Amino acid sequence: MRIARSLVLAAGLLLAAAPQALADVTFFIGSTSTPAARQVRGFAIGGGILVLGFEFEYSDTRESPEDAAPSLRTGMGNILFQTPVAIAGFQPYFTTGAGGYRESLGDESETQLGGNAGGGVKVRLAGPLRVR
């Protein structure tokens, strides 16, 4: 019984001391230029606690049969590791993930999986607004 009480107390203290989780959603519109200029639309959602974060991104490019330009849909999920605080105004991070894409033109289509790894720094612009 004492062990159970100690475990409940320890769990309560850990939850009380946990940092606030942050999350954001981004909607975007862009363009692709190969093999023809077309609009790209999508969204990204992400969040994190202290040194660990996640991201998911989806994008959609419409087909243009007259230009022989295929449609392309992609989805990618990532895990992000970062320093808990900025160092000299920069917060280094490393990210890795996997996802898939589907490319279609007329009756032909191809679906494949892909992976990624990368890194960089986040720089605070104002308040919670940062650029990578």
Side-chain angles (χ1 to χ4, degrees), residues 19 23 41 60 81-82 95 106 117 129:
R41 294 176 290 183
D60 179 37
F81 301 97
Q82 62 191 4
T95 183
L129 186 61

Side-chain angles (χ1 to χ4, degrees), residues 22 24 86 89 91 122-131:
L22 302 173
D24 62 66
Q91 187 175 20
K122 296 179 184 180
V123 180
R124 184 175 306 276
L125 295 178
L129 186 61
R130 293 184 285 179
V131 67

Side-chain angles (χ1 to χ4, degrees), residues 43-99:
F43 69 92
I45 184 169
I49 299 176
L50 205 53
V51 297
L52 183 64
F54 71 90
E55 303 174 311
F56 175 78
E57 182 177 299
Y58 171 82
S59 69
D60 179 37
T61 305
R62 301 291 173 159
E63 178 179 316
S64 177
E66 59 274 3
D67 295 320
S71 68
L72 179 63
R73 289 192 176 129
T74 65
M76 187 67 65
N78 293 315
I79 294 175
L80 184 127
F81 301 97
Q82 62 191 4
T83 61
V85 295
I87 301 167
F90 298 97
Q91 187 175 20
Y93 71 89
F94 171 77
T95 183
T96 186

